[in-house]
Amino acid sequence: MPEPDVNLLAAALRRDSADLNLYAEVLSAGLADSLPAGAVSVKRRRTVADRLAGRGGPVAELDIVLGEQRLSLRMDGGRVAGEVRHEVRGIVLSRRPVGLDEWIDALARALADAAASNARAREAVQRFLA
């Protein structure tokens, strides 16, 4: 597979971002299925009704680790907060809060970098470009 175009990947990742709940569900499921185990962590906000119905509840937090980058996205009602951290062996070297667009761009760059050396990351990239 040729090197993925980061702008094309960012556009594909941004495709469903108008509905934040749907976006978080699609993104978390797609990345969790495609990236190596442990690379994606999803925390859900489950109400009593969700528990009784056996549902997982909406995504409250999405945490993605790709190399030395950790990208976190938190949803609270209609608000979203992104954070990009640079970590080495569990030590945070830098942390910066970002908006959704900048978070998506950072995720696209991290996925493109990972796809250059990892077959499962290449799968994730191909899934979002399809």
Side-chain angles (χ1 to χ4, degrees), residues 71-89:
L71 299 110
S72 298
L73 191 64
R74 289 173 188 78
M75 278 71 62
D76 186 18
R79 296 183 318 236
V80 64
E83 183 177 72
V84 177
R85 293 186 299 265
H86 180 86
E87 292 184 2
V88 177
R89 291 186 290 259

Side-chain angles (χ1 to χ4, degrees), residues 18 23 28-30 40 53 56 67 73 83 96 103 106 112 114 119-121 123 127:
Y23 179 70
S28 63
V40 178
L73 191 64
E83 183 177 72
R96 69 187 160 96
W103 187 87
R120 293 199 72 177
E123 244 179 67
R127 178 176 292 176

Side-chain angles (χ1 to χ4, degrees), residues 21 25 43-47 50 56-61:
N21 290 329
E25 288 293 332
K43 292 182 183 170
R44 297 181 175 275
R45 184 172 294 110
R46 291 180 70 192
T47 64
D50 289 330
V59 174
E61 186 175 331

Side-chain angles (χ1 to χ4, degrees), residues 5 8 21 34 49 69-70 81 87 94-95 104:
D5 180 4
L8 184 61
N21 290 329
S34 301
Q69 286 239 345
R70 180 179 296 263
E87 292 184 2
S94 69
R95 170 188 315 247
I104 291 171

